[in-house]
Amino acid sequence: MDPRWIPPIDFSPSPTHGTPRESPHDAGPWSLRHLHLDLRVSFAAAGAGRLQGRARLELRCERDGAGGAELRLDAHPALAVSRAALLPPPGGPGDAAGQALPVESRPFASYGSALHIALPQAPRAGQLLTLLIDYEAGEGPGVCWLSPEQTAGKQKPYMYTQGQAVLNRSFFPCFDTPSVKFTYSATVKVPEGFTAVMSATSWEKQKDNTFVFKMSQPIPSYLIALVVGDIVSADVGPRSRVWAEPCLIEAAKKEYDGVIEEFLVVGEKLFGPYVWGRYDILFMPPSFPFGGMENPCLTFVTPCLLAGDRSLVDVIIHEISHSWFGNLVTNATWGEFWLNEGFTMYAQRRISTEVYGLPYTCLEAATGRALLRQHMDATGEDHPLNKLRVVIEPGVNPDDTYNETPYEKGYCFVSYLAHLVGNQSKFDAFLQAYVNRFKFQSITADDTLGFFLEYFPELKEKGVDSIPGFEFDRWLNTPGWPPYLPDLSPGQQLMRPAEELAELWAADSLNMEAIEAVDIMGWRTYQLVYFLDQVLQKSPLPEGNVKRLSKMYPKISKAQNAELRLRWCQIVLKNNLEAEYSKVKDFLHSQGKQKYTLPLYRAMWGGSEATRALAMETFSATAPQLHVNVQNYVKKILGLAAAEA
């Protein structure tokens, strides 16, 4: 998941019913060998459409006497099960429709329910069972239905699923835990004029507007994703294509042509073979509230990445890095999310260093460190979420624990492991060996750190896991600021000029000769972002300075790059530059990404009467095109209603 989407955090546990197991459900004695989904998607004139489904689960019992004659799956109140049946063994006697089984949905927690299916008898270890479940899904939190107004084309509705962390239980009945991996296939029938795509290794269109998918590598449930919309594709590399609505496809092709392959090749050099076949990118409608989601073979991204000048293409490196860390080697529980995200941040910055150089990567990492500082200042360093091994109590939605810590503190821990090794090429070799050892598995931090010490026996002998102040146990289980911070000083050669230029613009009388001597035309995105962050910190600037800054740097004030637009809009609001309020309105009309939308509404609401009026006017015009969660968060900022859970 994009590291810069951090929701407003509510730490209160959901109500639980009975005695639920660790959330999310574990699979008990079962392993899932394969899942097949038969889906029929229909849109409604307004609101949520319907998804009629049949799930076939090929199960294996791994141990005797556990779980009794009952199977428990994760589901959701929005998922209505009409029938469950046990299919006869292939080629064996019995009704092809299967033996009907009693099935009951029981409350579990606020984010889902438990599906209890009674089996004819307790299974034996090694026994194979095939289960068929007929169901219908609609308004669940993992199945998002967009009206035409919420799309780029504004003509047709759109549907997508978002599984991370525990939302796919509202899309299909499953073991909704990252500890269970399985292959899957799907047949999806959609209305004429629509196309279906999924996170799958193969894709085929058949007659009657039916699409057939197959994922030949085992993945956890949260990585199964479906989109149905008016979408088309264009090739941008030997194993990559971009997907988008027709009105965006040319921009997407132009922006990403040849780019993805360069990043993939560097990733393979560092971390080993790319095992997923294709790497496609789907540009989502503007209302998509996230930055990106690393669904294998088909990453979902915000259309905000289409800056028109390739200035944001490096954002995709994070999602590409998940191809090794997260999708191939996966955290077994959401309480150790840093195994996905800390390693991915490290991998992203290794690729970035190879492609863009160390100074630029250190500058980007410094912005990440600043976000971690902001987060820890806001929550308090000793908040229990500010450790790498988080205890997620039964009934607590894992999504409610999402924050910067697993990303940036996790990155610091992986950097510390590299520091202990003391040789980059040796640590790169370790990462390849780690991926190879645990590929297609779900693991714990104990597995990771045990393998590290096994791979470097000389470090194990030295007792590096228990160096006072840097103990592995402290990294995992003690909240607070990272005990070790990697050296980001190479970034100073890019930071210093940006800091000095911001100082010049904050002066009471502008030294135009010194300002004009600085050429920002060659600055890449993160250097410009760093400069604008400095200007924002010094705002409001002396009267007239921002107006002159705007005129002098059209590269900034007229940018299509969303990262620059966000900061420019914040500067406009902080300095009450009414002549450019229209840019704030235009930016909020053009997209609905949460990371960009909420800070601007906070800035408007915390400003003058004029900016408050601008906030109300803009929200009333754009609310229908926003994701419902983002609508609710904005309402809360504007005092219009309590944010809904």
Side-chain angles (χ1 to χ4, degrees), residues 21-38:
R21 294 167 283 178
E22 177 198 2
S23 171
H25 283 170
D26 60 56
W30 301 99
S31 62
L32 178 57
R33 299 162 74 234
H34 186 79
L35 168 73
H36 178 75
L37 296 172
D38 232 322

Side-chain angles (χ1 to χ4, degrees), residues 294-368:
E294 66 273 11
N295 302 308
C297 308
L298 185 69
T299 285
F300 290 7
V301 294
T302 169
C304 294
L305 295 190
L306 300 174
D309 59 2
R310 298 196 163 188
S311 57
L312 284 174
V313 293
D314 56 327
V315 174
I316 205 71
I317 297 175
H318 181 85
E319 309 307 338
I320 285 174
S321 299
H322 272 304
S323 305
W324 293 273
F325 305 98
N327 295 3
L328 193 51
V329 181
T330 309
N331 50 232
T333 74
W334 293 119
E336 293 190 325
F337 191 40
W338 76 275
L339 292 171
N340 280 16
E341 295 298 351
F343 274 88
T344 292
M345 294 304 293
Y346 187 87
Q348 168 197 320
R349 287 167 182 158
R350 280 295 294 120
I351 294 174
S352 172
T353 299
E354 296 287 313
V355 177
Y356 299 115
L358 189 58
Y360 186 70
T361 302
C362 286
L363 175 58
E364 181 278 319
T367 65

Side-chain angles (χ1 to χ4, degrees), residues 202-497:
S202 72
W203 176 94
E204 183 193 338
K205 184 178 179 182
Q206 297 185 343
K207 60 177 197 265
D208 299 330
N209 224 36
T210 298
F211 297 83
V212 177
F213 303 94
K214 187 176 175 185
M215 169 51 84
S216 52
Q217 313 286 23
I219 59 171
S221 59
Y222 77 89
L223 290 176
I224 295 180
L226 167 68
V227 161
V228 179
D230 180 15
I231 49 175
V232 291
S233 68
D235 287 334
V236 291
R239 46 185 161 171
S240 300
R241 63 172 74 95
V242 287
W243 290 89
E245 294 179 62
C247 61
L248 289 178
I249 196 67
E250 278 310 311
K253 185 178 193 311
K254 188 177 162 198
E255 197 91 354
Y256 279 85
D257 206 3
V259 168
I260 299 167
E261 187 62 20
E262 180 186 10
F263 297 150
L264 284 174
V265 166
V266 175
E268 288 188 299
K269 186 182 90 176
L270 291 170
F271 313 121
Y274 177 79
V275 304
W276 305 98
R278 300 199 60 80
Y279 186 92
D280 293 354
I281 299 179
L282 173 62
F283 288 90
M284 299 293 281
S287 58
F288 186 59
F290 317 113
M293 179 61 212
E294 66 273 11
N295 302 308
C297 308
L298 185 69
T299 285
F300 290 7
V301 294
T302 169
C304 294
L305 295 190
L306 300 174
D309 59 2
R310 298 196 163 188
S311 57
L312 284 174
V313 293
D314 56 327
V315 174
I316 205 71
I317 297 175
H318 181 85
E319 309 307 338
I320 285 174
S321 299
H322 272 304
S323 305
W324 293 273
F325 305 98
N327 295 3
L328 193 51
V329 181
T330 309
N331 50 232
T333 74
W334 293 119
E336 293 190 325
F337 191 40
W338 76 275
L339 292 171
N340 280 16
E341 295 298 351
F343 274 88
T344 292
M345 294 304 293
Y346 187 87
Q348 168 197 320
R349 287 167 182 158
R350 280 295 294 120
I351 294 174
S352 172
T353 299
E354 296 287 313
V355 177
Y356 299 115
L358 189 58
Y360 186 70
T361 302
C362 286
L363 175 58
E364 181 278 319
T367 65
R369 187 177 295 176
L371 287 168
L372 181 64
R373 183 72 271 167
Q374 278 173 28
H375 160 72
M376 289 209 180
D377 287 347
T379 60
E381 281 194 15
D382 58 353
H383 193 288
L385 286 187
N386 293 337
K387 53 188 179 181
L388 294 180
R389 182 181 276 153
V390 175
V391 178
I392 302 179
E393 297 292 347
V396 172
N397 186 338
D399 276 335
D400 291 341
T401 69
Y402 192 90
N403 69 89
E404 285 288 352
T405 302
Y407 292 86
E408 294 296 345
K409 188 173 180 179
Y411 164 71
C412 289
F413 190 19
V414 180
S415 300
Y416 176 62
L417 297 178
H419 164 74
L420 289 174
V421 174
N423 177 304
Q424 187 64 62
S425 59
K426 280 187 180 175
F427 192 70
D428 288 347
F430 159 73
L431 289 176
Q432 279 213 27
Y434 169 72
V435 168
N436 193 49
R437 168 71 179 80
F438 294 114
K439 62 188 176 189
F440 306 119
Q441 296 177 50
S442 301
I443 65 170
T444 66
D446 290 344
D447 296 321
T448 299
L449 298 172
F451 182 72
F452 175 78
L453 294 172
E454 180 188 313
Y455 189 87
F456 294 111
E458 68 281 13
L459 295 181
K460 184 176 185 177
E461 270 180 51
K462 280 188 195 168
V464 295
D465 56 335
S466 52
I467 296 169
F470 301 92
E471 300 91 343
F472 289 1
D473 184 78
R474 175 180 172 172
W475 275 101
L476 295 176
N477 298 312
T478 303
W481 193 243
Y484 169 86
L485 296 171
D487 176 21
L488 303 182
S489 60
Q492 284 298 328
Q493 70 185 69
L494 299 176
M495 291 180 202
R496 207 169 294 113

Side-chain angles (χ1 to χ4, degrees), residues 47 71 102 194-195 239 252 280 302-303 318 404 464 532 541 574 611-612:
L71 173 71
F194 291 84
T195 296
R239 46 185 161 171
D280 293 354
T302 169
H318 181 85
E404 285 288 352
V464 295
L532 293 177
L541 302 189
K574 193 90 178 273
T611 62
R612 284 187 156 217

